[in-house]
Amino acid sequence: AGADDTITLGSNTQLVATGGLQYSWRPAYALSNIGINTPIANPETTTEYIVQVIDIYGCIKEDSVVITV
């Protein structure tokens, strides 16, 4: 899910996940789209986002990224 990031209140950052065909981010809080690999996050408080990725073989993997505000 990429490296952790720090943003200022009111700004945003793009999350990036790779290696799959299907993506699902949680929580949905302050995300532009939970079903894509590159949603925009603009949380008002520090948030840990977890992405679940399903690859071409049906294998499921998870990773997380913390956005500090």
Side-chain angles (χ1 to χ4, degrees):
D4 293 348
D5 198 1
T6 300
I7 62 172
T8 57
L9 185 62
S11 63
N12 61 52
T13 187
Q14 187 168 34
L15 307 182
V16 178
T18 60
L21 295 177
Q22 295 179 16
Y23 300 88
S24 180
W25 292 87
R26 65 183 192 275
Y29 165 68
L31 286 182
S32 61
N33 185 333
I34 65 167
I36 62 174
N37 68 318
T38 56
I40 301 297
N42 61 340
E44 294 179 357
T45 61
T46 297
T47 305
E48 179 182 25
Y49 290 104
I50 300 167
V51 62
Q52 183 180 76
V53 179
I54 301 174
D55 70 12
I56 61 173
Y57 304 106
C59 295
I60 300 172
K61 297 181 183 177
E62 288 190 349
D63 198 6
S64 65
V65 60
V66 174
I67 305 301
T68 302
V69 180

